Amino acid sequence: MHLPPLLLLPLGPLSLEGRPVGSCRRRRPAGRTCPACPKHTWTNNLAVLECLQDRREESDIAPDCNHLLWNYKLNLTTDPKFESVAMEVCKSTIAEIKECNEEERGRGYLVSCLVDHRGNVSEYQCNQYITKMTSIIFSDYRLICGFMDKCKEDINTLHCGSINVGHKDVHSQGEVISCLEKALVREAEQQDHGHPIKEECKKAILRVAELSSDDFHLDRHLYFSCRDDRERFCPNTQAGEGKVYKCLFNHKFEEAMSEKCRDALTTRQKLISQDYRVSYSLAKACKADLRKQRCSLDNNLPRAREARLSYLLLCLEAAVHRGRPVSGECQGEMLDYRRMLMEDFSLSPEIVLHCRTEIEAHCSGLHRKGRTLHCLMRIGRGDRSTAVDSVCQSALQTLIQSADPGADYRIDRALNEACESVIQTACKHIHSGDPMILSCLMEHLYTEKMVEDCEHRLLELQYFISRDWKLDPVLYKKCQGDAARLCHTHGWNETSELMPPGAVFSCLYRHAYRSEEQGRRLSRDCKVEVQRILHQRALDVKLDPELQKRCMTDLGKWCSEKTDTGQELECLQDHLEDLVPACREVVGNLTELESEDIQIDALLIRACEPLTQAFCHDVADNQVDTGDLMECLVQNKHQKEMNEKCLVGVTHFQLVQMKDFRFSYKFKMACKEDVLRLCPNIKKKVDVVICLSTTVRNDTLQDAREQRVSLKCRKQLRVEELEMSEDIRLEPELYDPCKSDISRLCPNVAFGNAQMIECLKEQKKHLSQRCHQKIFRLQEVEMTDPELDYQLMRVCKQMIKRFCTDADARNVLQCLKQNKNSELMDPKCKQMITKRQITQNTDYRLNPVLRKACRADIPKFCQPILNKASEDSELEGQVIACLKLKYADQRLSPDCEDQIRVILQESALDYRLDPQLQMHCTDEIPRLCAEEAAAQEQTGQVEECLKVNLLKIKQEACKKEVLNMLKESKADIFVDPVLHTACALDLKHHCAAITPGRGRQMSCLIEALQDKRVRLQPECKKRLQDRIDMWSYAAKVAPAEGFSDLAVQVMISPSKNYILLMISLSVCILFLVGLLCGRITKRVTRELKDR
């Protein structure tokens, strides 16, 4: 360095006891003497001084030499000749700097003032002069202008060293300043201030730190502490502009870094946190931006706060988020210091002060690389085993806002290291440092690509980001206009009691799902971001601050064991009725949102991806989901592509929907006006469905001129009814009474595909009374409306398409029954139809067609049975049996007769369709007709067997049923399938002109049998003769019970004409006899009168 000539002149006392400065040598270690400085420096006093100041600690200086140095430096800074050199070299600079021009001469203040303002010095020689003098002044705190006056009392109070001039002090007293700096830092980190530092001394300490910010040589304590570390880590880094500081900061947590240097660096970083100007590079890079963004003009804040690093970062981050220009150099410096704050929690005095208890209890020994901070964040997430003080929580939130890791994940070193492998595989398509990296990681949360450590670090950070919408830079960028317009928000780093940061997002998502009729809505870009955040929050209940805050008690009460992914929200939805009102409201609102956009439930969507791709890709690709995707998933939930996780998720959502009709978006939108008008004050969806369905059914049955339920609501109501029929749990009024029956009778049966309902139907004889009544009611509804019979519609889906495409929905079962015996009928469907026929024949109320056809006949002939009947239990076929007897007596109305004939024909082929026969012959059928009953295809063989073995039947009730069968077959050959099959050709040849019914074709065959001229088929002849014998036996065993019964028997007898002729002759004879006897008695009476 070329110094001005004057600096080489000796100034002040140059000798002590006749010895020159050059005579200052090291003490002689190990008995030998060596020079303290190279010989070439001995001719330059300042070079010698600089050499001695930067000596190694192990190099000792003699006390007399030490004192000589002190006097030399002191005289050097106060000597008028020295000031005259400064005035000559820095003449124009002094004139420009008003403060220095006004300083009193001769006290050393001029040089100190120039050092203070060295950043404004542009003259080369003056700059070189000040640089040289800076190292002299900073080597001793007493040489710094005014420092000793301002901090004398604090130095003594804090025992930071002696300031008595008489003492032989060491030539470099950087330790004194270091002691004061540590005390200043400690004061900010402790609540109890035993010896508070005076305000003017605080300013002096920070000013000294600021002045030493460009060259690490000037921070004497740090220089000596880190001299070896500088050589180790930063050998090629030139001193000046704070470069050495930054290099050492970057290596602070290296294993090779000495503890002494690390402590010194931490102290300096803490000073930077208190005053950003202590960082030369940051202050220089951001000086213009701070002025441009008006970051130092807030009159409401104390001046000290404006200097804080957090304030600077928040102000400039706000500008960046708003899209205002901030220089790249400044943003680079901000990134370094944001990373620094995230790496070392101790740099934030609020964290040290307010989180001390939590750190000592849970996070001790984790201070490096941001691990302590993440430990605090984990506890702050609210794990039930631990708790975080609200003040500590607030301090953490403030730090996250200052560091703003949401804008660049690399700021969070712990997260960056934990998630590096995931980013390289799952997010490699996104530019490094892009804010969307965090969203990408969230999208892969709980997937195979995610690693456990990354998952924990990510959720810990997201917990705090989710509590302030501004910490998600993409959301803030897209929604800041909407937030100001709809939610009345302030600036990025400003808060409002009316609209705190956590409430802004709630406001945004309320507007996100509004329709045009409901008023102001979000912009499209903002809505996309709101949906993205909602998708992320669905992954973990703790990411929804409002939900966690309101439901903390309920989570502990109901969901303490539900700790797996997504289980907590499902648990809250399951216990919706039990939640406290505040929690119930927020869970209800979230569930209502999910019903409109099920993609909010990211875990469910992920689980259902195969099914979605196979069957629902059209609706899934729609930008606006209005419940279509969930409806599609429900409709296809039993496809082979369905996996267990998806099935459980879809079913759970269906069950939750039952709790409130608002949770079914399409149903709510289609029927909300109808609900308000027809079903007010009803909330549960199942109750609303029942209310509306009853209204529709009543209007239909009464042939109302106009349906009270709107058409769009009726259509959606049908969808809801069909969905409910698939799982008994979706019908609480049925499920609750049958819970015990389910566990007792159907423990291993699945709920889906209506399998549980089918099981209960098959076991209905063993059901409890309440459950039996509900099942009966369900069957009554299903028979009236077969579309609600899920199993029938599922099993017979293809057969309905084949045979019943033109049939009305309510006549589907009737159509299937008519085509049951077709060769094209699917066996499984045929079996299902038979099941439904068996059910219908147990009670006329389960056969709507019969009920309508026989509405006059039933009360006329079967009233005694109705009087004994229970409203909600089957009559076990008694009414139908009654109607069968009247059919045999030919007393039914034509419509009713047609329906009974069909029933007789069907039951004649399958004994199971005759509940009375099956009930009374339960023991006889296995004993006498086991082989016939075991046949898969029932063709009337069991009935034929019972008829043939009539004499062997022991039970009178069973015998009576068989006799009734014989009586019915006598009335119509079609109800005797065995005889009809045997005589089919003879009927065609001999009785083709005879109208079927009322025993006419049977009489025709009997007459043909008695006519010797007619030759019947051998099988027909044999079967017919057997029937005549059976009827004869029946007549003996079961004589007519009354005159009407006798008349019927005569009318259906094959000898009807003969019997009627004989009866007529008998009546005529009686009439003639009576007439004759009358005349005789009249003559006798007259003769007696004449006498």
Side-chain angles (χ1 to χ4, degrees):
M1 181 184 293
H2 299 287
L3 295 173
L6 286 169
L7 289 182
L8 301 177
L9 298 175
L11 297 172
L14 298 176
S15 64
L16 183 66
E17 298 178 357
R19 285 182 293 155
V21 174
S23 66
C24 286
R25 302 177 183 274
R26 291 180 187 169
R27 284 186 178 177
R28 290 173 291 183
R32 68 185 185 87
T33 304
C34 62
C37 300
K39 286 186 179 181
H40 68 82
T41 63
W42 290 8
T43 58
N44 186 330
N45 291 342
L46 293 181
V48 171
L49 187 61
E50 187 174 11
C51 165
L52 291 174
Q53 285 182 162
D54 294 348
R55 81 192 190 288
R56 292 279 175 181
E57 289 180 352
E58 62 270 14
S59 303
D60 200 1
I61 296 179
D64 54 353
C65 178
N66 194 16
H67 193 66
L68 173 68
L69 291 172
W70 154 245
N71 283 317
Y72 179 78
K73 287 190 291 184
L74 182 62
N75 292 332
L76 188 66
T77 57
T78 58
D79 194 292
K81 293 180 181 179
F82 181 75
E83 282 194 352
S84 66
V85 173
M87 291 176 65
E88 183 177 337
V89 175
C90 301
K91 186 175 182 180
S92 60
T93 300
I94 294 170
E96 291 173 4
I97 303 173
K98 184 180 177 182
E99 293 88 342
C100 298
N101 200 23
E102 294 174 353
E103 287 288 357
E104 186 181 348
R105 303 294 189 263
R107 298 183 60 188
Y109 287 174
L110 176 61
V111 177
S112 292
C113 179
L114 288 171
V115 170
D116 276 4
H117 292 85
R118 70 186 187 281
N120 299 324
V121 175
S122 56
E123 291 180 84
Y124 175 75
Q125 278 200 328
C126 181
N127 192 50
Q128 296 295 310
Y129 168 76
I130 292 171
T131 300
K132 203 68 180 175
M133 291 312 302
T134 300
S135 64
I136 296 173
I137 290 173
F138 274 86
S139 68
D140 196 314
Y141 69 93
R142 290 170 297 184
L143 302 180
I144 299 171
C145 176
F147 184 82
M148 190 168 70
D149 297 334
K150 294 173 182 176
C151 293
K152 178 179 180 180
E153 185 179 332
D154 294 295
I155 292 171
N156 283 327
T157 304
L158 296 166
H159 306 291
C160 286
S162 171
I163 55 171
N164 294 325
V165 181
H167 284 197
K168 294 181 179 179
D169 305 295
V170 292
H171 73 291
S172 177
Q173 297 189 9
E175 294 296 331
V176 176
I177 292 180
S178 172
C179 175
L180 289 171
E181 288 175 344
K182 289 177 179 177
L184 178 62
V185 167
R186 192 164 57 248
E187 182 178 313
E189 295 175 351
Q190 293 178 353
Q191 208 159 5
D192 182 21
H193 302 148
H195 301 287
I197 300 174
K198 290 189 300 184
E199 197 61 37
E200 60 178 6
C201 183
K202 285 182 182 178
K203 291 180 180 177
I205 294 168
L206 289 171
R207 182 61 177 155
V208 168
E210 179 188 348
L211 292 172
S212 62
S213 62
D214 64 334
D215 190 344
F216 92 114
H217 290 90
L218 305 183
D219 187 332
R220 306 306 293 172
H221 172 71
L222 187 143
Y223 170 72
F224 286 117
S225 299
C226 297
R227 191 156 41 181
D228 292 337
D229 298 281
R230 186 265 172 99
E231 294 301 322
R232 187 179 302 116
F233 296 110
C234 313
N236 300 320
T237 305
Q238 292 184 349
E241 297 185 350
K243 292 178 181 177
V244 176
Y245 285 126
K246 286 190 68 175
C247 176
L248 290 172
F249 288 161
N250 291 334
H251 293 87
K252 176 179 164 182
F253 290 115
E254 297 286 344
E255 294 294 332
M257 175 71 71
S258 67
E259 203 62 41
K260 190 175 181 182
C261 179
R262 186 180 290 120
D263 289 342
L265 290 170
T266 300
T267 300
R268 183 143 196 107
Q269 287 177 318
K270 290 179 179 180
L271 291 173
I272 294 172
S273 296
Q274 292 196 33
D275 189 338
Y276 73 89
R277 290 169 294 200
V278 176
S279 169
Y280 178 86
S281 57
L282 179 64
K284 180 182 177 183
C286 297
K287 184 177 181 180
D289 294 291
L290 287 169
R291 194 183 309 112
K292 191 186 302 179
Q293 305 303 335
R294 304 172 69 85
C295 291
S296 301
L297 299 178
D298 193 340
N299 297 322
N300 297 322
L301 295 172
R303 184 73 188 160
R305 180 175 171 181
E306 292 184 7
R308 293 193 61 130
L309 177 63
S310 58
Y311 180 79
L312 170 140
L313 292 175
L314 287 172
C315 181
L316 292 178
E317 283 164 15
V320 173
H321 285 305
R322 288 172 180 157
R324 296 176 183 174
V326 174
S327 68
E329 188 181 2
C330 179
Q331 288 195 49
E333 287 294 325
M334 287 168 59
L335 187 68
D336 289 340
Y337 282 96
R338 283 157 56 196
R339 185 186 291 115
M340 181 184 81
L341 289 174
M342 288 294 293
E343 277 189 357
D344 192 346
F345 76 95
S346 66
L347 305 185
S348 304
E350 294 85 2
I351 299 288
V352 177
L353 175 61
H354 300 303
C355 300
R356 182 176 284 108
T357 306
E358 288 80 3
I359 292 171
E360 291 174 355
H362 306 287
C363 308
S364 58
L366 299 172
H367 62 282
R368 298 185 177 185
K369 300 181 181 179
R371 291 172 189 160
T372 303
L373 190 58
H374 267 278
C375 173
L376 288 171
M377 289 159 68
R378 187 189 79 247
I379 303 168
R381 287 186 72 218
D383 293 342
R384 290 188 256 295
S385 58
T386 57
V388 164
D389 183 77
S390 59
V391 186
C392 175
Q393 188 92 353
S394 177
L396 284 168
Q397 191 69 43
T398 303
L399 173 61
I400 299 298
Q401 188 176 9
S402 300
D404 195 16
D408 190 337
Y409 73 95
R410 296 172 298 180
I411 291 167
D412 189 342
R413 185 170 178 177
L415 175 73
N416 191 16
E417 290 181 359
C419 297
E420 186 176 3
S421 61
V422 183
I423 294 169
Q424 292 300 321
T425 54
C427 310
K428 58 184 178 182
H429 60 287
I430 303 176
H431 178 68
S432 180
D434 193 297
M436 290 307 291
I437 289 281
L438 282 180
S439 283
C440 174
L441 290 173
M442 287 299 293
E443 287 173 11
H444 290 86
L445 194 65
Y446 307 126
T447 64
E448 294 178 357
K449 292 183 178 179
M450 180 58 64
V451 295
E452 186 178 3
D453 197 27
C454 176
E455 178 184 307
H456 294 322
R457 302 296 85 77
L458 181 62
L459 286 174
E460 288 156 10
L461 178 61
Q462 283 292 111
Y463 175 83
F464 287 89
I465 290 178
S466 67
R467 270 139 187 82
D468 189 343
W469 75 291
K470 297 172 293 188
L471 298 183
D472 188 308
V474 181
L475 175 69
Y476 183 80
K477 181 179 179 181
K478 301 289 186 181
C479 294
Q480 56 179 320
D482 296 90
R485 176 170 55 91
L486 301 171
C487 308
H488 313 292
T489 56
H490 296 265
W492 188 86
N493 57 335
E494 298 172 12
T495 58
S496 164
E497 291 184 4
L498 295 175
M499 188 60 69
V504 175
F505 186 77
S506 298
C507 169
L508 289 173
Y509 85 62
R510 280 197 301 273
H511 287 86
Y513 291 91
R514 283 189 171 182
S515 61
E516 293 181 5
E517 297 80 16
Q518 289 175 311
R520 295 180 297 175
R521 303 168 69 192
L522 295 184
S523 62
R524 179 178 296 179
D525 289 345
C526 180
K527 183 175 180 180
V528 169
E529 294 308 314
V530 169
Q531 288 174 326
R532 173 177 65 84
I533 299 300
L534 287 173
H535 296 172
Q536 292 178 5
R537 290 188 172 187
L539 296 170
D540 192 319
V541 71
K542 296 185 184 70
L543 298 182
D544 191 327
E546 190 175 7
L547 180 68
Q548 192 189 26
K549 179 183 176 183
R550 295 196 190 182
C551 297
M552 186 60 72
T553 304
D554 288 302
L555 282 167
K557 184 176 181 180
W558 305 108
C559 311
S560 57
E561 297 179 358
K562 304 289 186 180
T563 56
D564 289 347
T565 308
Q567 281 191 341
E568 286 181 312
L569 179 57
E570 289 183 0
C571 171
L572 290 174
Q573 290 173 330
D574 290 339
H575 290 89
L576 189 66
E577 299 88 347
D578 306 316
L579 304 179
V580 297
C583 179
R584 190 186 311 132
E585 180 187 5
V586 69
V587 173
N589 290 339
L590 181 59
T591 308
E592 190 173 356
L593 277 179
E594 283 186 349
S595 73
E596 180 177 354
D597 181 7
I598 193 59
Q599 296 199 40
I600 290 174
D601 191 342
L603 293 173
L604 177 63
I605 293 302
R606 197 179 291 164
C608 294
E609 188 173 356
L611 190 73
T612 304
Q613 291 300 320
F615 300 99
C616 310
H617 58 88
D618 292 338
V619 291
D621 293 340
N622 291 342
Q623 288 189 347
V624 180
D625 181 17
T626 54
D628 294 325
L629 180 55
M630 177 50 77
E631 189 174 285
C632 177
L633 291 174
V634 170
Q635 290 170 354
N636 293 281
K637 65 187 281 190
H638 295 292
Q639 299 288 350
K640 62 181 181 180
E641 286 80 4
M642 174 63 76
N643 57 65
E644 185 66 23
K645 282 186 178 180
C646 180
L647 180 60
V648 169
V650 171
T651 303
H652 172 266
F653 196 77
Q654 286 183 281
L655 294 173
V656 172
Q657 285 182 323
M658 292 295 108
K659 297 176 185 292
D660 194 321
F661 83 96
R662 296 180 301 127
F663 298 164
S664 298
Y665 179 75
K666 298 191 81 171
F667 183 49
K668 177 185 71 174
M669 298 307 292
C671 297
K672 58 184 176 182
E673 294 175 2
D674 301 88
V675 172
L676 290 172
R677 182 164 42 86
L678 300 169
C679 311
N681 304 320
I682 299 179
K683 190 174 182 181
K684 285 190 175 181
K685 179 182 172 183
V686 64
D687 295 334
V688 172
V689 170
I690 291 171
C691 171
L692 294 175
S693 299
T694 304
T695 305
V696 172
R697 186 161 55 249
N698 291 342
D699 287 349
T700 304
L701 293 174
Q702 294 169 10
D703 295 324
R705 183 178 299 176
E706 188 175 344
Q707 286 274 0
R708 285 175 288 173
V709 180
S710 63
L711 178 61
K712 65 177 181 178
C713 180
R714 292 202 302 273
K715 287 181 178 179
Q716 191 59 37
L717 182 64
R718 169 57 47 165
V719 173
E720 301 300 330
E721 289 175 328
L722 294 175
E723 287 183 6
M724 288 168 62
S725 68
E726 183 267 336
D727 192 326
I728 190 173
R729 292 172 297 180
L730 301 180
E731 299 189 57
E733 293 217 345
L734 175 61
Y735 180 54
D736 293 339
C738 293
K739 278 184 178 178
S740 60
D741 300 272
I742 289 171
S743 58
R744 181 167 53 90
L745 301 170
C746 310
N748 300 317
V749 179
F751 284 97
N753 259 340
Q755 294 176 77
M756 185 61 71
I757 295 176
E758 196 65 24
C759 174
L760 292 173
K761 288 176 182 176
E762 292 171 357
Q763 298 284 344
K764 66 180 177 181
K765 289 183 179 179
H766 308 291
L767 298 177
S768 61
Q769 185 180 359
R770 284 186 65 215
C771 182
H772 191 282
Q773 290 173 350
K774 294 295 181 182
I775 291 293
F776 178 79
R777 285 292 179 200
L778 173 68
Q779 289 179 318
E780 192 175 0
V781 171
E782 288 179 348
M783 294 303 177
T784 306
D785 190 352
E787 266 195 322
L788 300 180
D789 188 340
Y790 188 88
Q791 276 280 35
L792 175 71
M793 301 305 289
R794 183 183 70 84
V795 174
C796 296
K797 184 177 180 180
Q798 297 302 322
M799 296 301 101
I800 292 171
K801 288 181 178 179
R802 176 172 292 170
F803 296 111
C804 309
T805 49
D806 299 328
D808 183 74
R810 295 181 181 273
N811 296 325
V812 167
L813 180 56
Q814 194 68 16
C815 169
L816 289 172
K817 283 158 62 176
Q818 291 169 0
N819 294 278
K820 172 183 169 183
N821 296 314
S822 168
E823 292 180 359
L824 299 175
M825 177 58 69
D826 176 60
K828 289 183 178 179
C829 179
K830 185 174 183 179
Q831 187 178 1
M832 182 59 66
I833 297 168
T834 302
K835 279 187 180 182
R836 296 301 178 257
Q837 287 180 297
I838 293 170
T839 301
Q840 282 190 326
N841 290 352
T842 60
D843 197 303
Y844 77 99
R845 290 170 293 184
L846 301 179
N847 190 334
V849 179
L850 174 69
R851 189 176 184 177
K852 183 178 180 181
C854 300
R855 58 180 179 272
D857 302 84
I858 291 171
K860 180 178 178 182
F861 300 114
C862 311
Q863 190 61 47
I865 299 172
L866 297 179
N867 293 338
K868 297 176 185 177
S870 170
E871 187 178 344
D872 296 317
S873 60
E874 293 90 342
L875 296 170
E876 298 299 342
Q878 293 179 63
V879 171
I880 296 177
C882 167
L883 293 174
K884 285 179 180 178
L885 291 174
K886 301 308 171 188
Y887 173 82
D889 297 342
Q890 301 179 2
R891 298 173 63 185
L892 298 179
S893 62
D895 289 343
C896 184
E897 188 176 283
D898 291 341
Q899 290 303 316
I900 292 297
R901 183 186 302 113
V902 172
I903 291 174
L904 285 168
Q905 290 171 356
E906 291 169 347
S907 58
L909 289 168
D910 191 340
Y911 74 98
R912 295 171 298 176
L913 301 184
D914 189 337
Q916 287 287 304
L917 177 68
Q918 193 175 13
M919 181 172 65
H920 294 304
C921 298
T922 305
D923 298 327
E924 303 292 352
I925 291 174
R927 185 172 64 87
L928 301 171
C929 312
E931 188 177 338
E932 290 82 353
Q936 289 187 348
E937 192 73 20
Q938 293 295 323
T939 56
Q941 296 302 318
V942 173
E943 289 87 339
E944 186 67 19
C945 170
L946 289 172
K947 291 172 185 176
V948 171
N949 292 285
L950 181 60
L951 298 176
K952 297 178 182 179
I953 295 174
K954 297 176 182 179
Q955 294 182 356
E956 288 300 320
C958 179
K959 187 179 288 188
K960 185 177 179 182
E961 288 301 321
V962 177
L963 291 171
N964 286 337
M965 276 199 304
L966 289 168
K967 184 178 178 181
E968 291 155 6
S969 65
K970 196 174 183 181
D972 195 335
I973 193 173
F974 286 100
V975 302
D976 190 337
V978 174
L979 179 64
H980 183 264
T981 303
C983 299
L985 287 174
D986 296 296
L987 280 172
K988 188 176 181 181
H989 290 152
H990 307 297
C991 307
I994 306 298
T995 307
R998 296 186 178 271
R1000 287 186 285 265
Q1001 287 192 330
M1002 186 67 78
S1003 298
C1004 173
L1005 284 175
I1006 291 172
E1007 290 173 2
L1009 178 65
Q1010 294 172 347
D1011 191 343
K1012 294 181 180 179
R1013 294 171 298 175
V1014 177
R1015 295 185 62 183
L1016 298 177
Q1017 295 291 324
E1019 182 66 18
C1020 176
K1021 188 174 182 179
K1022 179 180 178 300
R1023 293 288 182 185
L1024 192 55
Q1025 189 60 54
D1026 289 343
R1027 292 295 183 270
I1028 293 172
D1029 295 340
M1030 289 178 189
W1031 291 330
S1032 301
Y1033 175 75
K1036 294 175 185 177
V1037 177
E1041 296 178 357
F1043 181 77
S1044 59
D1045 196 17
L1046 178 63
V1048 170
Q1049 287 194 14
V1050 170
M1051 293 303 295
I1052 65 173
S1053 171
S1055 306
K1056 176 180 69 174
N1057 295 334
Y1058 174 74
I1059 295 171
L1060 289 177
L1061 178 62
M1062 295 306 295
I1063 290 173
S1064 300
L1065 287 173
S1066 300
V1067 170
C1068 290
I1069 292 170
L1070 286 173
F1071 177 75
L1072 291 173
V1073 170
L1075 185 62
L1076 180 62
C1077 291
R1079 288 189 175 277
I1080 294 172
T1081 55
K1082 187 176 181 182
R1083 185 183 306 164
V1084 171
T1085 304
R1086 186 176 300 160
E1087 288 177 352
L1088 288 172
K1089 284 182 181 180
D1090 291 342
R1091 285 181 186 177

